[in-house]
Amino acid sequence: MSAFVSQHGGNIREAAARYGMKPEQLLDFSANINPLGMPPAVRQAIVEQMQLAERYPDVEYQALHQAIARHLQVPVSWLLAGNGETELIFALVEHLAPRRALLVVPGFAEYRRALIRVGCAIEEFVLEADSDWQLDEAFIAALHPGLDCLFLCTPNNPTGVMPPAPLLLAIARRCAELDIALIVDEAFVDFIPQTTGMIPALACMPHVWVLRSLTKFFAIPGLRLGYMVSANPGVATIRLRQPPWTINAFAALAGERVLSEREYIAATHRWLADARSWLTAALQAITALTVWPSSANYLFLRCERPGVDLQDALMRRGILIRHCANYPGLDKRYYRVAVKSEAANQRLVKALQAIFSDTVSD
Ligand SMILES: Cc1ncc(COP(=O)(O)O)c(C=O)c1O
């Protein structure tokens, strides 16, 4: 069994139903959500302000946009918040209406869906296992004047690889020369301490659009919240076209608060540094797996034991991981696992050790 219909991780309802289990019986390693849960003060603020459900949110979300602008130190006019970053991927693609876009594969599925929706032709730049899934100078040479849009995900999903900052800037400069709109998806960049991403370069690069999600780092995927940042005047056009009230009042409240949760942010970085290095080493010690180093809160791996369906084998032990067979550029040997709490990570490692000790080596 396995290969769920869902294009994404986190669909524990579908997975559990397939195996005759209840969703709460599953340990979910398929969605990359901060295991610390949402910041406690934010949870409390939401619970205490249930009355917000009884009136419309501010249609301009001024407090939310101001909080994000303060945090990033950019003008409010550069910002647009949305109902998760996903809303903004689709809104931006609709605004740009590109005719030919370049996607890096493997990559996040929604770029392709948004591009197909506007009838855009898609070219692919295929990352290689042999170069540890890293982008290099060859990528710059692959950019050409026939393109008008490029998506980059930094760090990339599902590989967890972060391109070096000088390379990103060189790509951005080449895109300016070739008149290519560059969309940089920084959904997971907050997990890298002291990284500013592309935002400091935006003032002199109006062809660059940064997209960020607050759902992973602050553990609010069910509330939904993300934002776009760009010095491009097109932000105002997209704002005008956005349907009203796409962000619910609780998501807006969370967004006004989370970015100033310094202790939570530091605690998340401490957890990730420890948990990721432990999990990476423990998984690398399993000879049947190749595990790549990651800059994000998930690990990308390949099962080297022929005939083993890891997702299925783990589901039988109550653990859901993301198979990556449906990513263009990958096959059924590839998987992605979230980094979770110490106890959860230990359970995953023990289950994998048991699977491979049960499996006859060829
Ligand atoms: C790379 C990437 N970008 C964007 C998103 C969308 O995030 P949001 O939950 O904010 O819509 C995801 C969600 O999985 C993602 O993996």
Side-chain angles (χ1 to χ4, degrees):
M1 224 175 331
S2 130
F4 303 118
V5 177
S6 168
Q7 290 275 327
H8 296 285
N11 199 337
I12 57 169
R13 196 189 41 78
E14 178 193 356
R18 272 271 194 112
Y19 283 78
M21 297 163 78
K22 296 201 176 96
E24 52 277 16
Q25 289 175 292
L26 272 181
L27 184 53
D28 182 15
F29 275 85
S30 72
N32 308 311
I33 304 302
N34 187 341
L36 300 189
M38 65 197 291
V42 175
R43 180 192 299 266
Q44 192 182 341
I46 289 173
V47 169
E48 283 170 1
Q49 298 192 51
M50 275 297 145
Q51 76 281 3
L52 289 178
E54 295 167 353
R55 51 176 195 259
Y56 281 94
D58 168 16
V59 72
E60 291 175 26
Y61 300 101
Q62 292 181 53
L64 172 64
H65 286 113
Q66 277 157 10
I68 301 171
R70 248 191 330 273
H71 173 73
L72 301 176
Q73 299 186 330
V74 299
V76 176
S77 59
W78 289 15
L79 280 173
L80 182 62
N83 184 268
E85 190 196 305
T86 305
E87 178 191 348
L88 302 168
I89 293 173
F90 282 78
L92 178 54
V93 167
E94 202 168 304
H95 167 71
L96 295 171
R99 279 160 298 124
R100 181 166 288 269
L102 181 64
L103 293 183
V104 173
V105 302
F108 184 53
E110 296 304 328
Y111 314 145
R112 190 180 297 268
R113 288 188 62 217
L115 292 165
I116 289 172
R117 198 158 150 262
V118 298
C120 179
I122 295 171
E123 290 182 18
E124 294 180 348
F125 183 91
V126 181
L127 297 169
E128 304 285 348
D130 287 349
S131 27
D132 289 332
W133 312 103
Q134 186 57 276
L135 284 176
D136 58 20
E137 300 291 325
F139 184 72
I140 300 180
L143 300 174
H144 62 84
L147 296 168
D148 50 12
C149 177
L150 165 64
F151 270 95
L152 286 182
C153 185
T154 61
N156 192 29
N157 181 4
T159 60
V161 174
M162 182 72 186
L167 179 66
L168 282 176
L169 285 175
I171 293 169
R173 280 194 291 271
R174 187 68 186 135
C175 285
E177 287 163 10
L178 295 171
D179 206 12
I180 298 171
L182 170 59
I183 304 167
V184 186
D185 181 347
E186 297 186 348
F188 293 96
V189 86
D190 290 333
F191 286 101
I192 309 177
Q194 264 101 50
T195 299
T196 49
M198 284 294 280
I199 290 174
L202 293 182
C204 50
M205 294 192 167
H207 66 297
V208 179
W209 305 76
V210 171
L211 300 178
R212 288 197 179 172
S213 170
L214 293 172
T215 67
K216 292 109 189 359
F217 192 94
F218 294 103
I220 51 167
L223 275 184
R224 318 288 310 126
L225 193 60
Y227 56 87
M228 80 165 60
V229 199
S230 177
N232 194 299
V235 172
T237 315
I238 301 170
R239 186 181 298 113
L240 280 176
R241 285 204 192 136
Q242 189 183 35
W245 307 298
T246 62
I247 303 167
N248 72 74
F250 304 112
L253 176 64
E256 288 163 27
R257 305 284 178 93
V258 287
L259 295 167
S260 50
E261 289 285 330
R262 289 183 189 284
E263 182 39 43
Y264 173 93
I265 293 170
T268 299
H269 289 147
R270 284 196 299 275
W271 151 74
L272 184 58
D274 291 349
R276 187 178 56 207
S277 58
W278 184 86
L279 187 60
T280 306
L283 295 179
Q284 283 174 339
I286 299 173
T287 52
L289 299 177
T290 299
V291 184
W292 283 273
S294 167
S295 298
N297 60 330
Y298 48 85
L299 301 179
F300 184 55
L301 53 97
R302 187 171 64 204
C303 177
E304 309 295 1
R305 193 66 58 78
V308 174
D309 179 338
L310 262 196
Q311 189 186 52
D312 177 59
L314 283 166
M315 275 301 289
R316 292 171 193 279
R317 291 169 164 80
I319 296 175
L320 174 62
I321 65 170
R322 172 76 158 95
H323 79 76
C324 295
N326 61 345
Y327 279 87
L330 298 179
D331 57 49
K332 59 184 194 269
R333 295 170 301 158
Y334 290 93
Y335 301 89
R336 190 194 67 202
V337 298
V339 180
K340 292 177 69 85
S341 68
E342 194 182 328
N345 295 338
Q346 284 174 358
R347 219 182 115 190
L348 174 68
V349 170
K350 282 211 179 80
L352 287 166
Q353 286 167 341
I355 288 165
F356 290 113
S357 68
D358 293 354
T359 313
V360 183
S361 177
D362 55 338

